[in-house]
Amino acid sequence: MTRTPGFDTSVAHQARIYDYLLGGKDNYAAARAASEAVLTIYPEMAFNARANRAFLGRAVRYLAGQAGIRQFLDIGTGIPTAGNTHQVAQEIAPESRVVYVDYDPIVLAHARALLTSGGPGATDYIHADLRDTPAILGRAAELLDFSKPVAVTLIAILHAIPDSDDPHAIVASLMRALPPGSHLAISHIAADLIDPETRSGLDNLADQMIQQDFTFRSGEQVARFFAGTDLVAPRLVRVEEWRPEPGDPAGTSSVWGAVGRKR
């Protein structure tokens, strides 16, 4: 059963906070207020958002380029902005196929308008919760060929899944459905890169103002998501340290990032 939250613009939602931090316009007053409150407690959160988005671009360029991946399953895509997964992948390999998954109705509305492909490539959008892996895999198989490698991207989404829902088992079930040579890209806000006082303040704020709970995880806990894969160099690092490119935003994040190749 999909456990999607109701649509309530009076409560901040992760996707719309992320949009605001990236300078987007597709957000509501609640998200703006929550974002400003977050920045008061942890000003570096704006850099986290920019560095995380840049990591997505670099990871997809690596996957479509060096790794030769032509199929992508982007779960928790957020509101479309510049440099969406299909745009990055299809610039390198126009035949790339990309399936997006999110449960926010605002994302759905924008996806229908913006997530379109030209030429030989294709995109699709699934309105579903990450925890509904059977539904996601069933729908994604309508566009993707699971007998060939697929890259799963879980960018800044797993921290919205509490330990009680066993996110490690969710990721494992996704990867079991894919053949060797498939890849997994994850970014995750870090428990061990933020001081305890700041983390406590962010937890309290989330309880008061944000629709989803946030679970900070350590580097060791994030590394466990990559069981059964070989981590691509430089392995698990802060997102801005993963294969940096000229023009990337400068700063120090509190977000772990890595890409692994399924054995």
Side-chain angles (χ1 to χ4, degrees):
M1 179 187 299
T2 301
R3 287 162 288 183
T4 57
F7 182 55
D8 183 357
T9 61
S10 69
V11 181
H13 183 282
Q14 177 180 324
R16 295 187 277 278
I17 291 173
Y18 189 45
D19 177 73
Y20 178 82
L21 292 174
L22 288 172
K25 306 299 182 184
D26 299 301
N27 47 72
Y28 296 94
R32 295 191 286 274
S35 299
E36 292 298 333
V38 166
L39 293 173
T40 298
I41 297 170
Y42 186 54
E44 294 84 355
M45 191 62 81
F47 174 74
N48 276 4
R50 296 192 301 272
N52 182 72
R53 188 71 186 180
F55 166 74
L56 169 64
R58 295 195 306 275
V60 173
R61 279 190 288 278
Y62 166 80
L63 292 165
Q66 290 180 249
I69 298 294
R70 298 293 178 264
Q71 303 187 106
F72 295 82
L73 180 57
D74 182 337
I75 303 177
T77 180
I79 296 168
T81 183
N84 299 298
T85 296
H86 75 287
Q87 294 167 324
V88 177
Q90 290 172 0
E91 185 175 351
I92 295 169
E95 69 274 24
S96 295
R97 295 184 163 220
V98 180
V99 174
Y100 293 96
V101 181
D102 208 294
Y103 64 36
D104 182 8
I106 293 294
V107 175
L108 173 63
H110 285 272
R112 286 173 173 159
L114 299 178
L115 300 182
T116 58
S117 293
T123 60
D124 196 6
Y125 178 87
I126 300 171
H127 186 64
D129 189 303
L130 168 58
R131 289 163 285 203
D132 290 342
T133 52
I136 290 171
L137 292 169
R139 280 283 313 281
E142 296 174 12
L143 183 68
L144 307 180
D145 180 354
F146 285 172
S147 70
K148 298 177 181 178
V150 176
V152 175
T153 62
L154 296 165
I155 306 300
I157 182 62
L158 287 167
H159 57 242
I161 307 297
D163 291 337
S164 58
D165 285 330
D166 200 349
H168 290 93
I170 292 170
V171 174
S173 68
L174 287 169
M175 296 307 292
R176 273 196 304 271
L178 307 178
S182 294
H183 284 67
L184 174 65
I186 289 174
S187 67
H188 196 300
I189 194 161
D192 43 357
L193 299 178
I194 303 178
D195 69 81
E197 183 178 352
T198 299
R199 196 164 70 243
S200 177
L202 292 172
D203 281 336
N204 290 336
L205 179 66
D207 289 341
Q208 297 170 25
M209 300 184 71
I210 301 175
Q211 199 167 30
Q212 303 101 330
D213 293 326
F214 287 83
T215 301
F216 296 81
R217 295 188 173 95
S218 67
E220 181 180 0
Q221 290 172 309
V222 175
R224 283 180 50 212
F225 288 115
F226 292 93
T229 75
D230 295 316
L231 289 178
V232 174
R235 302 177 64 82
L236 182 71
V237 294
R238 296 177 193 259
V239 285
E240 70 274 13
E241 297 172 354
W242 199 89
R243 300 183 175 231
E245 298 174 351
D248 286 342
T252 302
S253 79
S254 56
V255 183
W256 291 117
V259 175
R261 183 183 189 276
K262 183 176 178 178
R263 300 185 194 104

